[in-house]
């Protein structure tokens, strides 16, 4: 049975700020979770243009997440069952991500995201039909909540206490009860997750596990987006793109894969030593 759920993540920042924050967060979390055995391998990162999204950035990645597999899954599949292939089209403020698993060939997971300058009150930003709306579940995520579950620990649980948090650079925070209703600036990431695992006996359980995993990832990543605000606040899109390119090369070096679209020597030529140190500072901040 296809699962259709829309997560609405309200953020205390502008649309323009979120674009930088999200890219910074992805880069830093990927660096922190990648080592010689597991993590993220970047296959492609390039500009694209088509009739659906217009102009944007296309990325192709491989996620090796064997250690995060639930125990029950390892009883029916090998450890490499959680090697996932991701293709993403980022034409901000619209994005689409498609995730597939080579082991479960019938499995598909799609995340369609629309970003809006509101507090999560728009009702059908994805333009769903009546049948889809009837099947869709909606959950508004509060990044200030300290709620945890199994997937929170598997993904990683940040220690920010936003009820006491205060940004030095922006003056944002703290986030108290009901902050979404009166905070300015504010924006929302509307993420529509569609999961289909048509396997008799365990397909529904797999869908529910991955849906819970995506929810935990949304919470953790967006908490980090705001919690790391003093690290990315003031960066331009050009600066964040340069950091992203450098980070992609470092990722592939850490996971012992060929450098992104080229060779290691070319990566070294493209970036100065000072820029490389800047990426390393992002990883260890």
């Amino acid at each position: 049975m296809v699962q259709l759920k829309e997560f609405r993540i309200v953020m205390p920042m502008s649309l323009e700020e979120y674009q930088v924050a999200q890219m910074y967060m992805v880069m830093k979390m990927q660096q922190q979770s990648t080592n010689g055995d597991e993590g993220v391998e970047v296959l492609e990162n390039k500009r694209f243009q088509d009739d659906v999204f217009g102009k944007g950035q296309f990325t192709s990645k491989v996620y090796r997440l064997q250690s995060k597999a639930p125990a029950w899954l390892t009883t029916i599949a090998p450890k490499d069952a959680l090697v996932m292939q991701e293709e993403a089209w980022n034409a901000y403020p619209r994005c689409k991500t498609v995730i597939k698993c080579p082991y479960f060939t019938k499995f598909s997971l799609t995340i369609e995201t629309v970003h809006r300058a509101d507090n999560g009150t728009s009702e059908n930003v994805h333009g769903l039909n009546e049948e889809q709306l009837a099947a869709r579940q909606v959950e508004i995520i509060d990044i200030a909540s300290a709620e945890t579950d199994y997937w929170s620990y598997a993904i990683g649980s940040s220690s920010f206490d936003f009820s006491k948090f205060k940004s030095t650079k922006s003056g944002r925070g703290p986030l108290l009860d009901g902050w979404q209703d009166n905070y300015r600036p504010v924006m929302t990431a509307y993420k529509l997750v569609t999961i289909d695992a048509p396997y008799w006996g365990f397909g529904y359980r797999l869908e529910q596990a991955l849906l819970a995993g995506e929810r935990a990832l949304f919470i953790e990543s967006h908490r980090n987006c705001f919690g790391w605000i003093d690290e990315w606040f003031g960066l331009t899109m050009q600066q964040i793109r340069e950091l992203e390119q450098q980070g992609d090369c470092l990722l592939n070096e850490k996971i012992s894969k060929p450098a992104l679209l080229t060779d290691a020597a070319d990566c070294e030529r493209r970036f100065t030593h000072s820029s490389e140190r800047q990426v390393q500072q992002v990883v260890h901040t």
Side-chain angles (χ1 to χ4, degrees):
M1 179 179 178
V2 177
Q3 305 293 315
L4 192 66
K5 187 163 185 177
E6 180 182 298
F7 296 93
R8 302 178 184 179
I9 307 107
V10 185
M11 298 294 291
M13 58 189 68
S14 68
L15 280 175
E16 293 75 20
E17 290 170 341
Y18 178 84
Q19 186 176 18
V20 172
Q22 192 262 352
M23 291 178 63
Y24 181 91
M25 171 273 296
V26 169
M27 177 181 62
K28 183 168 178 175
M29 288 185 67
Q30 287 180 164
Q31 293 287 347
Q32 291 178 339
S33 64
T34 299
N35 53 46
D37 299 317
E38 290 191 3
V40 185
E41 176 190 354
V42 183
L43 304 179
E44 290 186 85
N45 188 344
K46 63 184 181 181
R47 295 188 179 277
F48 79 91
Q49 182 172 355
D50 62 26
D51 295 334
V52 177
F53 291 101
K55 296 181 180 180
Q57 199 78 11
F58 169 80
T59 56
S60 175
K61 302 177 183 178
V62 175
Y63 291 84
R64 293 176 173 84
L65 307 170
Q66 297 92 315
S67 66
K68 300 185 185 301
W72 65 265
L73 183 58
T74 62
T75 64
I76 61 173
K79 285 187 176 182
D80 61 2
L82 272 190
V83 174
M84 314 293 277
Q85 297 175 342
E86 176 195 277
E87 291 186 331
W89 295 262
N90 187 343
Y92 194 80
R94 292 181 61 205
C95 307
K96 181 178 180 179
T97 301
V98 176
I99 299 174
K100 297 182 179 180
C101 179
Y103 186 83
F104 297 110
T105 56
K106 297 179 182 179
F107 163 82
S108 66
L109 189 159
T110 301
I111 304 169
E112 298 168 276
T113 308
V114 175
H115 303 89
R116 286 198 175 178
D118 63 22
N119 63 345
T121 55
S122 296
E123 286 306 317
N124 190 13
V125 300
H126 299 282
L128 303 181
N129 59 36
E130 291 185 4
E131 182 180 358
Q132 291 171 320
L133 287 173
R136 178 197 64 171
Q137 295 178 305
V138 175
E139 179 179 350
I140 298 177
I141 289 177
D142 182 3
I143 65 168
S145 172
E147 175 190 353
T148 58
D149 56 18
Y150 163 81
W151 283 100
S152 302
Y153 293 105
I155 299 294
S157 184
S158 58
S159 59
F160 300 112
D161 182 353
F162 290 134
S163 67
K164 301 175 182 177
F165 179 88
K166 187 75 172 180
S167 163
T168 301
K169 288 186 177 180
S170 69
R172 311 272 171 86
L175 302 181
L176 305 178
D177 289 345
W179 68 268
Q180 301 99 323
D181 297 329
N182 49 35
Y183 212 93
R184 297 296 181 273
V186 70
M187 55 78 60
T188 301
Y190 293 82
K191 292 185 172 290
L192 182 68
V193 181
T194 305
I195 298 180
D196 187 16
Y199 293 95
W200 184 86
F202 69 92
Y204 178 77
R205 192 175 183 184
L206 179 61
E207 290 169 355
Q208 291 300 303
L210 289 170
L211 198 58
E214 288 297 326
R215 178 184 183 275
L217 180 60
F218 293 156
I219 294 173
E220 177 72 3
S221 60
H222 285 81
R223 281 175 59 81
N224 287 336
C225 266
F226 185 52
W228 293 335
I229 187 171
D230 285 338
E231 299 175 30
W232 58 258
F233 192 80
L235 291 177
T236 66
M237 279 300 298
Q238 181 178 351
Q239 289 173 318
I240 203 70
R241 283 291 182 202
E242 290 174 356
L243 286 173
E244 181 187 52
Q245 290 176 327
Q246 298 156 29
D248 288 349
C249 284
L250 288 177
L251 278 177
N252 288 1
E253 289 177 6
K254 289 173 69 174
I255 205 167
S256 303
K257 295 293 180 179
L260 177 66
L261 297 179
T262 180
D263 57 32
D266 187 56
C267 269
E268 187 174 352
R269 287 193 299 270
R270 285 162 61 191
F271 311 120
T272 66
H273 292 297
S274 61
S275 295
E276 290 174 352
R277 284 198 300 270
Q278 192 173 7
V279 177
Q280 294 288 2
Q281 289 170 357
V282 167
V283 178
H284 299 294
T285 302

